Amino acid sequence: MNETVISPGMTWPGSSGAGDRRRLAARTSLALILLMLLVSVVSLGIGAADASFWNSLVTLARGGELSALERVILFDIRLPRLAMGLLVGAALAVSGAVMQGLFRNPLADPGLVGVGAGAGLGAIIAIVLGASLPAAVSLAIGHYIVPVAAFLGGWVATLVLYQVSTSRGRTSVAMMLLAGIALGALAAALSGILVYMADDAQLRDLTFWGFGSLAGATWGKLMAAAPLILLAMAAAPFLARSLNALALGEAAAAHLGIPIQRMKMLAVVVVAMATGAAVAVSGGIGFIGIVVPHLLRISVGPDHRYLLLNSALLGASLLVLADTISRTIIAPAELPIGILTAVIGGPVFIWILLRNRGMLNL
Protein backbone atom coordinates (compact mmCIF):
# COMPACT_ATOMS: atom_id res chain seq x y z
CA MET A 1 0.00 0.00 0.00
CA ASN A 2 1.40 3.35 -0.96
CA GLU A 3 2.01 5.77 1.87
CA THR A 4 -0.13 8.88 1.54
CA VAL A 5 1.23 11.98 3.20
CA ILE A 6 -1.47 14.44 4.27
CA SER A 7 0.83 16.86 6.06
CA PRO A 8 4.47 16.83 7.17
CA GLY A 9 4.98 13.87 9.47
CA MET A 10 1.40 12.57 9.11
CA THR A 11 0.23 9.50 7.18
CA TRP A 12 -3.04 7.76 6.56
CA PRO A 13 -3.74 4.76 8.77
CA GLY A 14 -2.91 1.45 7.23
CA SER A 15 0.40 2.47 5.71
CA SER A 16 3.71 1.23 7.09
CA GLY A 17 4.52 4.76 8.25
CA ALA A 18 1.22 4.95 10.10
CA GLY A 19 2.01 1.63 11.81
CA ASP A 20 5.37 2.92 13.03
CA ARG A 21 3.73 6.11 14.26
CA ARG A 22 1.03 4.14 16.10
CA ARG A 23 3.67 2.07 17.88
CA LEU A 24 5.65 5.21 18.77
CA ALA A 25 2.49 6.91 20.05
CA ALA A 26 1.56 3.82 22.10
CA ARG A 27 5.02 3.68 23.69
CA THR A 28 4.84 7.42 24.40
CA SER A 29 1.39 7.01 26.00
CA LEU A 30 2.66 4.17 28.21
CA ALA A 31 5.68 6.24 29.29
CA LEU A 32 3.45 9.23 30.05
CA ILE A 33 1.04 7.09 32.11
CA LEU A 34 3.97 5.85 34.19
CA LEU A 35 5.21 9.44 34.55
CA MET A 36 1.77 10.57 35.70
CA LEU A 37 1.58 7.80 38.30
CA LEU A 38 5.08 8.64 39.54
CA VAL A 39 4.45 12.37 39.96
CA SER A 40 1.06 11.62 41.58
CA VAL A 41 2.66 9.42 44.24
CA VAL A 42 5.40 12.00 44.84
CA SER A 43 2.79 14.77 45.09
CA LEU A 44 0.81 12.84 47.72
CA GLY A 45 3.92 12.03 49.73
CA ILE A 46 5.64 15.42 49.80
CA GLY A 47 4.50 18.59 51.51
CA ALA A 48 5.22 21.14 54.18
CA ALA A 49 3.40 19.02 56.77
CA ASP A 50 4.82 15.69 57.96
CA ALA A 51 2.39 13.06 56.65
CA SER A 52 3.94 10.05 54.92
CA PHE A 53 1.79 8.66 52.12
CA TRP A 54 3.45 5.24 52.26
CA ASN A 55 3.16 4.97 56.05
CA SER A 56 -0.49 5.88 55.76
CA LEU A 57 -1.04 3.22 53.09
CA VAL A 58 0.71 0.59 55.24
CA THR A 59 -1.36 1.63 58.25
CA LEU A 60 -4.61 1.34 56.28
CA ALA A 61 -3.53 -2.01 54.73
CA ARG A 62 -2.93 -3.43 58.21
CA GLY A 63 -6.40 -2.36 59.31
CA GLY A 64 -5.13 0.52 61.41
CA GLU A 65 -6.52 4.03 61.59
CA LEU A 66 -4.89 7.28 60.61
CA SER A 67 -4.62 10.14 63.04
CA ALA A 68 -7.00 13.05 62.54
CA LEU A 69 -4.15 15.21 61.25
CA GLU A 70 -2.96 12.59 58.73
CA ARG A 71 -6.51 12.06 57.49
CA VAL A 72 -7.05 15.79 56.94
CA ILE A 73 -3.71 16.29 55.20
CA LEU A 74 -4.03 13.31 52.86
CA PHE A 75 -7.75 13.11 52.10
CA ASP A 76 -8.94 16.71 52.50
CA ILE A 77 -5.90 18.65 51.24
CA ARG A 78 -3.48 16.67 49.09
CA LEU A 79 -5.85 14.26 47.34
CA PRO A 80 -8.31 16.90 46.00
CA ARG A 81 -5.35 19.08 45.08
CA LEU A 82 -3.78 16.22 43.13
CA ALA A 83 -7.03 15.42 41.32
CA MET A 84 -7.53 19.08 40.46
CA GLY A 85 -3.96 19.35 39.16
CA LEU A 86 -4.46 16.34 36.90
CA LEU A 87 -7.74 17.69 35.52
CA VAL A 88 -6.56 21.27 35.02
CA GLY A 89 -3.26 20.23 33.41
CA ALA A 90 -5.04 17.89 31.00
CA ALA A 91 -7.68 20.53 30.19
CA LEU A 92 -5.14 23.26 29.42
CA ALA A 93 -2.95 21.00 27.28
CA VAL A 94 -5.84 19.54 25.26
CA SER A 95 -7.32 23.03 24.77
CA GLY A 96 -3.98 24.19 23.38
CA ALA A 97 -3.76 21.19 21.02
CA VAL A 98 -7.32 21.75 19.73
CA MET A 99 -6.76 25.48 19.21
CA GLN A 100 -3.49 24.89 17.38
CA GLY A 101 -5.25 22.40 15.12
CA LEU A 102 -8.22 24.70 14.57
CA PHE A 103 -6.07 27.74 13.75
CA ARG A 104 -3.41 25.59 12.06
CA ASN A 105 -0.79 27.47 14.01
CA PRO A 106 1.56 26.36 16.85
CA LEU A 107 1.23 29.73 18.59
CA ALA A 108 -2.48 29.36 19.32
CA ASP A 109 -2.98 28.93 23.05
CA PRO A 110 -5.94 29.86 25.28
CA GLY A 111 -3.69 31.90 27.55
CA LEU A 112 -1.90 33.81 24.81
CA VAL A 113 -4.80 34.72 22.53
CA GLY A 114 -7.26 36.01 25.12
CA VAL A 115 -9.44 32.95 25.73
CA GLY A 116 -8.03 32.46 29.22
CA ALA A 117 -8.55 36.17 29.95
CA GLY A 118 -12.17 35.89 28.80
CA ALA A 119 -12.71 32.88 31.03
CA GLY A 120 -11.07 34.72 33.94
CA LEU A 121 -13.33 37.73 33.39
CA GLY A 122 -16.38 35.46 33.48
CA ALA A 123 -15.18 33.96 36.76
CA ILE A 124 -14.50 37.42 38.26
CA ILE A 125 -17.98 38.60 37.26
CA ALA A 126 -19.42 35.56 39.06
CA ILE A 127 -17.34 36.22 42.19
CA VAL A 128 -18.14 39.94 42.43
CA LEU A 129 -21.74 40.00 41.21
CA GLY A 130 -22.71 36.52 42.39
CA ALA A 131 -23.29 37.87 45.90
CA SER A 132 -26.12 40.05 44.59
CA LEU A 133 -28.07 37.08 43.22
CA PRO A 134 -31.23 36.03 45.08
CA ALA A 135 -30.52 33.59 47.89
CA ALA A 136 -32.62 30.87 46.24
CA VAL A 137 -30.60 31.14 43.00
CA SER A 138 -27.28 31.11 44.86
CA LEU A 139 -28.37 28.05 46.85
CA ALA A 140 -29.49 26.24 43.69
CA ILE A 141 -26.34 26.75 41.59
CA GLY A 142 -23.86 26.82 44.48
CA HIS A 143 -20.31 25.95 43.38
CA TYR A 144 -21.29 25.81 39.70
CA ILE A 145 -21.75 29.55 39.15
CA VAL A 146 -18.02 30.32 38.75
CA PRO A 147 -17.18 27.42 36.33
CA VAL A 148 -20.26 28.14 34.22
CA ALA A 149 -19.49 31.87 34.07
CA ALA A 150 -15.88 31.11 33.15
CA PHE A 151 -17.08 28.74 30.41
CA LEU A 152 -19.33 31.45 28.95
CA GLY A 153 -16.49 33.99 29.10
CA GLY A 154 -14.09 31.63 27.33
CA TRP A 155 -16.74 30.71 24.77
CA VAL A 156 -17.44 34.33 23.83
CA ALA A 157 -13.71 35.13 23.65
CA THR A 158 -13.03 32.12 21.39
CA LEU A 159 -15.88 33.03 19.03
CA VAL A 160 -14.73 36.66 18.78
CA LEU A 161 -11.13 35.59 18.23
CA TYR A 162 -12.05 33.20 15.44
CA GLN A 163 -14.36 35.66 13.67
CA VAL A 164 -11.79 38.47 13.80
CA SER A 165 -8.74 36.47 12.73
CA THR A 166 -10.35 34.29 10.03
CA SER A 167 -11.35 35.53 6.59
CA ARG A 168 -12.38 33.41 3.58
CA GLY A 169 -11.31 30.26 5.36
CA ARG A 170 -7.82 31.48 6.17
CA THR A 171 -6.57 32.46 9.62
CA SER A 172 -4.11 35.32 9.90
CA VAL A 173 -1.46 34.75 12.56
CA ALA A 174 -0.87 38.47 13.02
CA MET A 175 -4.61 39.13 13.34
CA MET A 176 -4.96 36.27 15.81
CA LEU A 177 -2.20 37.56 18.09
CA LEU A 178 -3.36 41.19 17.82
CA ALA A 179 -6.96 40.20 18.49
CA GLY A 180 -5.73 38.16 21.46
CA ILE A 181 -3.89 41.21 22.83
CA ALA A 182 -7.02 43.34 22.41
CA LEU A 183 -9.23 40.74 24.08
CA GLY A 184 -6.78 40.38 26.95
CA ALA A 185 -6.59 44.16 27.41
CA LEU A 186 -10.39 44.50 27.34
CA ALA A 187 -10.80 41.67 29.85
CA ALA A 188 -8.16 43.26 32.11
CA ALA A 189 -9.93 46.63 31.95
CA LEU A 190 -13.33 45.17 32.80
CA SER A 191 -11.73 43.10 35.56
CA GLY A 192 -10.20 46.31 36.96
CA ILE A 193 -13.64 47.89 37.16
CA LEU A 194 -14.96 44.86 39.03
CA VAL A 195 -12.00 44.97 41.43
CA TYR A 196 -13.01 48.49 42.44
CA MET A 197 -16.51 47.18 43.15
CA ALA A 198 -15.31 44.21 45.22
CA ASP A 199 -15.30 44.05 49.02
CA ASP A 200 -12.37 42.80 51.12
CA ALA A 201 -13.40 39.14 51.03
CA GLN A 202 -13.89 39.23 47.26
CA LEU A 203 -10.51 40.97 46.83
CA ARG A 204 -8.80 38.05 48.56
CA ASP A 205 -10.47 35.68 46.09
CA LEU A 206 -9.56 37.91 43.15
CA THR A 207 -5.90 37.98 44.17
CA PHE A 208 -5.96 34.23 43.56
CA TRP A 209 -6.57 34.88 39.86
CA GLY A 210 -3.53 37.04 39.43
CA PHE A 211 -1.02 34.24 39.90
CA GLY A 212 -2.74 30.93 39.42
CA SER A 213 -2.70 28.29 42.15
CA LEU A 214 -4.23 25.02 43.29
CA ALA A 215 -4.04 26.03 46.95
CA GLY A 216 -7.81 26.47 47.18
CA ALA A 217 -8.59 22.96 45.92
CA THR A 218 -11.48 21.29 47.72
CA TRP A 219 -13.74 18.40 46.88
CA GLY A 220 -16.60 20.86 46.31
CA LYS A 221 -14.66 22.92 43.74
CA LEU A 222 -13.41 19.75 42.10
CA MET A 223 -16.93 18.38 41.73
CA ALA A 224 -18.05 21.71 40.22
CA ALA A 225 -15.31 21.82 37.56
CA ALA A 226 -14.91 18.12 36.81
CA PRO A 227 -18.13 17.61 34.78
CA LEU A 228 -17.23 20.40 32.32
CA ILE A 229 -13.61 19.28 31.97
CA LEU A 230 -14.44 15.58 31.63
CA LEU A 231 -17.16 16.31 29.08
CA ALA A 232 -14.69 18.37 27.03
CA MET A 233 -12.05 15.62 27.34
CA ALA A 234 -14.59 13.03 26.15
CA ALA A 235 -15.59 15.15 23.13
CA ALA A 236 -12.06 16.11 22.04
CA PRO A 237 -11.14 12.74 20.43
CA PHE A 238 -14.11 13.10 18.05
CA LEU A 239 -12.34 16.16 16.61
CA ALA A 240 -9.10 14.33 15.84
CA ARG A 241 -9.80 13.22 12.25
CA SER A 242 -11.43 16.56 11.39
CA LEU A 243 -8.44 18.50 12.73
CA ASN A 244 -6.12 16.24 10.70
CA ALA A 245 -8.12 16.97 7.56
CA LEU A 246 -8.22 20.69 8.37
CA ALA A 247 -4.41 20.72 8.19
CA LEU A 248 -4.86 20.44 4.41
CA GLY A 249 -7.01 23.58 4.31
CA GLU A 250 -10.73 24.11 4.68
CA ALA A 251 -11.52 23.48 0.99
CA ALA A 252 -9.65 20.17 0.97
CA ALA A 253 -11.22 19.14 4.28
CA ALA A 254 -14.69 19.90 2.91
CA HIS A 255 -13.95 17.73 -0.14
CA LEU A 256 -13.05 14.90 2.27
CA GLY A 257 -16.55 15.18 3.76
CA ILE A 258 -15.72 17.10 6.91
CA PRO A 259 -18.63 19.31 8.12
CA ILE A 260 -16.41 22.32 8.63
CA GLN A 261 -18.75 24.71 10.43
CA ARG A 262 -20.12 22.02 12.77
CA MET A 263 -16.58 20.89 13.57
CA LYS A 264 -15.49 24.48 14.32
CA MET A 265 -18.39 25.02 16.70
CA LEU A 266 -17.63 21.77 18.52
CA ALA A 267 -13.95 22.75 18.80
CA VAL A 268 -14.87 26.17 20.21
CA VAL A 269 -17.21 24.61 22.78
CA VAL A 270 -14.58 22.04 23.81
CA VAL A 271 -11.93 24.74 24.29
CA ALA A 272 -14.31 27.05 26.15
CA MET A 273 -15.54 24.30 28.49
CA ALA A 274 -12.08 22.96 29.32
CA THR A 275 -10.38 26.35 29.64
CA GLY A 276 -13.30 27.97 31.46
CA ALA A 277 -13.59 25.26 34.08
CA ALA A 278 -9.80 25.08 34.54
CA VAL A 279 -9.45 28.84 34.95
CA ALA A 280 -12.42 28.91 37.33
CA VAL A 281 -10.71 26.64 39.86
CA SER A 282 -7.03 27.42 39.31
CA GLY A 283 -6.75 31.00 38.02
CA GLY A 284 -4.42 31.94 35.21
CA ILE A 285 -1.78 29.27 34.61
CA GLY A 286 0.07 29.97 31.39
CA PHE A 287 2.19 28.13 28.85
CA ILE A 288 0.95 24.58 29.56
CA GLY A 289 -1.37 24.85 26.55
CA ILE A 290 1.33 25.90 24.12
CA VAL A 291 4.39 24.03 25.39
CA VAL A 292 2.90 20.54 25.86
CA PRO A 293 1.35 20.04 22.37
CA HIS A 294 4.45 21.51 20.73
CA LEU A 295 6.82 19.12 22.53
CA LEU A 296 4.61 16.14 21.67
CA ARG A 297 4.27 17.20 18.05
CA ILE A 298 8.06 16.92 17.81
CA SER A 299 8.12 13.40 19.29
CA VAL A 300 4.91 11.69 18.04
CA GLY A 301 4.00 13.90 15.08
CA PRO A 302 0.98 16.10 14.32
CA ASP A 303 -1.68 13.37 14.10
CA HIS A 304 -4.39 14.52 16.51
CA ARG A 305 -5.53 10.94 17.17
CA TYR A 306 -2.36 10.54 19.24
CA LEU A 307 -1.59 14.17 20.02
CA LEU A 308 -4.76 14.85 22.04
CA LEU A 309 -4.42 11.81 24.34
CA ASN A 310 -0.72 12.32 24.95
CA SER A 311 -1.26 16.05 25.53
CA ALA A 312 -3.75 15.23 28.29
CA LEU A 313 -1.28 12.83 29.96
CA LEU A 314 1.75 15.13 29.71
CA GLY A 315 -0.22 18.25 30.67
CA ALA A 316 -1.59 16.53 33.77
CA SER A 317 1.86 15.27 34.78
CA LEU A 318 3.62 18.61 34.27
CA LEU A 319 1.06 20.60 36.24
CA VAL A 320 1.13 18.17 39.18
CA LEU A 321 4.95 18.31 39.10
CA ALA A 322 4.88 22.13 38.98
CA ASP A 323 2.40 22.21 41.88
CA THR A 324 4.59 19.89 43.96
CA ILE A 325 7.63 22.10 43.34
CA SER A 326 5.71 25.32 44.02
CA ARG A 327 4.49 24.18 47.46
CA THR A 328 7.78 22.67 48.62
CA ILE A 329 10.58 24.80 47.16
CA ILE A 330 10.11 27.62 49.72
CA ALA A 331 8.06 25.68 52.34
CA PRO A 332 6.21 26.50 54.52
CA ALA A 333 5.40 29.38 52.12
CA GLU A 334 4.04 28.56 48.67
CA LEU A 335 5.06 29.88 45.26
CA PRO A 336 2.06 30.39 42.93
CA ILE A 337 2.12 27.92 40.03
CA GLY A 338 1.51 30.67 37.49
CA ILE A 339 4.86 32.23 38.37
CA LEU A 340 6.67 28.90 38.07
CA THR A 341 5.10 28.00 34.69
CA ALA A 342 5.87 31.50 33.38
CA VAL A 343 9.53 31.25 34.42
CA ILE A 344 9.87 27.88 32.66
CA GLY A 345 7.41 28.44 29.82
CA GLY A 346 8.66 31.87 28.76
CA PRO A 347 12.05 30.67 27.47
CA VAL A 348 10.39 27.62 25.88
CA PHE A 349 7.94 29.91 24.07
CA ILE A 350 10.83 32.00 22.73
CA TRP A 351 12.44 28.78 21.51
CA ILE A 352 9.18 27.87 19.75
CA LEU A 353 9.13 31.31 18.09
CA LEU A 354 12.69 30.91 16.88
CA ARG A 355 12.03 27.36 15.68
CA ASN A 356 9.00 28.51 13.65
CA ARG A 357 10.49 31.80 12.52
CA GLY A 358 10.59 30.78 8.87
CA MET A 359 7.00 29.51 8.81
CA LEU A 360 5.69 32.64 10.55
CA ASN A 361 7.75 35.06 8.44
CA LEU A 362 9.11 36.67 11.62
Side-chain angles (χ1 to χ4, degrees), residues 170-193:
R170 296 182 63 86
T171 300
S172 165
V173 177
M175 284 295 291
M176 181 185 69
L177 294 176
L178 291 174
I181 292 172
L183 284 172
L186 178 61
L190 295 176
S191 299
I193 295 173

Side-chain angles (χ1 to χ4, degrees), residues 272-289:
M273 287 173 64
T275 304
V279 170
V281 293
S282 67
I285 298 176
F287 295 104
I288 294 287

Side-chain angles (χ1 to χ4, degrees), residues 181-255:
I181 292 172
L183 284 172
L186 178 61
L190 295 176
S191 299
I193 295 173
L194 291 168
V195 167
Y196 275 105
M197 298 169 58
D199 57 29
D200 289 343
Q202 291 167 343
L203 280 175
R204 283 194 295 273
D205 290 337
L206 294 177
T207 302
F208 161 80
W209 299 102
F211 300 109
S213 172
L214 299 178
T218 62
W219 288 115
K221 289 183 178 179
L222 182 66
M223 291 300 106
L228 286 176
I229 293 177
L230 293 176
L231 191 57
M233 295 294 103
F238 293 100
L239 291 166
R241 290 184 181 276
S242 299
L243 292 174
N244 285 347
L246 195 62
L248 298 170
E250 290 193 12
H255 284 301

Side-chain angles (χ1 to χ4, degrees), residues 21-358:
R21 197 163 296 281
R22 272 199 300 271
R23 285 189 286 275
L24 174 62
R27 288 196 292 270
T28 303
S29 299
L30 179 60
L32 291 177
I33 289 172
L34 294 176
L35 174 65
M36 188 174 67
L37 292 174
L38 176 63
V39 297
S40 297
V41 171
V42 171
S43 175
L44 284 176
I46 294 180
D50 183 19
S52 169
F53 173 66
W54 290 113
N55 288 343
S56 299
L57 278 185
V58 171
T59 301
L60 292 174
R62 291 176 176 172
E65 291 188 1
L66 302 179
S67 67
L69 179 62
E70 288 175 325
R71 186 174 294 279
V72 168
I73 291 174
L74 290 178
F75 293 105
D76 294 338
I77 297 178
R78 292 185 187 173
L79 201 54
R81 186 166 182 156
L82 168 64
M84 190 173 286
L86 293 172
L87 281 178
V88 170
L92 294 176
V94 170
S95 296
V98 171
M99 285 201 72
Q100 289 165 21
L102 180 64
F103 286 92
R104 286 177 284 162
N105 191 285
L107 297 183
D109 168 69
L112 290 175
V113 294
V115 178
L121 175 60
I124 291 173
I125 290 174
I127 291 173
V128 176
L129 302 182
S132 60
L133 291 174
V137 176
S138 298
L139 185 63
I141 54 183
H143 289 294
Y144 295 95
I145 183 172
V146 176
V148 170
F151 158 66
L152 293 176
W155 184 42
V156 171
T158 307
L159 283 176
V160 172
L161 179 71
Y162 192 84
Q163 293 299 325
V164 171
S165 60
T166 303
S167 176
R168 298 178 181 176
R170 296 182 63 86
T171 300
S172 165
V173 177
M175 284 295 291
M176 181 185 69
L177 294 176
L178 291 174
I181 292 172
L183 284 172
L186 178 61
L190 295 176
S191 299
I193 295 173
L194 291 168
V195 167
Y196 275 105
M197 298 169 58
D199 57 29
D200 289 343
Q202 291 167 343
L203 280 175
R204 283 194 295 273
D205 290 337
L206 294 177
T207 302
F208 161 80
W209 299 102
F211 300 109
S213 172
L214 299 178
T218 62
W219 288 115
K221 289 183 178 179
L222 182 66
M223 291 300 106
L228 286 176
I229 293 177
L230 293 176
L231 191 57
M233 295 294 103
F238 293 100
L239 291 166
R241 290 184 181 276
S242 299
L243 292 174
N244 285 347
L246 195 62
L248 298 170
E250 290 193 12
H255 284 301
L256 290 173
I258 302 298
I260 298 297
Q261 293 306 319
R262 194 189 313 164
M263 184 274 288
K264 287 179 182 176
M265 287 304 299
L266 178 59
V268 167
V269 171
V270 165
V271 170
M273 287 173 64
T275 304
V279 170
V281 293
S282 67
I285 298 176
F287 295 104
I288 294 287
I290 189 170
V291 170
V292 169
H294 196 79
L295 293 177
L296 286 169
R297 204 174 282 111
I298 294 172
S299 59
V300 301
D303 192 332
H304 289 84
R305 293 172 301 169
Y306 314 127
L307 185 64
L308 293 175
L309 171 63
N310 287 322
S311 291
L313 294 172
L314 183 57
S317 301
L318 286 185
L319 191 57
V320 170
L321 180 61
D323 179 55
T324 305
I325 294 173
S326 71
R327 61 186 170 83
T328 55
I329 191 170
I330 55 172
E334 183 171 322
L335 184 69
I337 302 177
I339 294 176
L340 188 63
T341 57
V343 168
I344 298 173
V348 176
F349 180 63
I350 293 174
W351 170 69
I352 293 173
L353 283 177
L354 295 175
R355 190 171 183 271
N356 293 277
R357 174 183 286 175

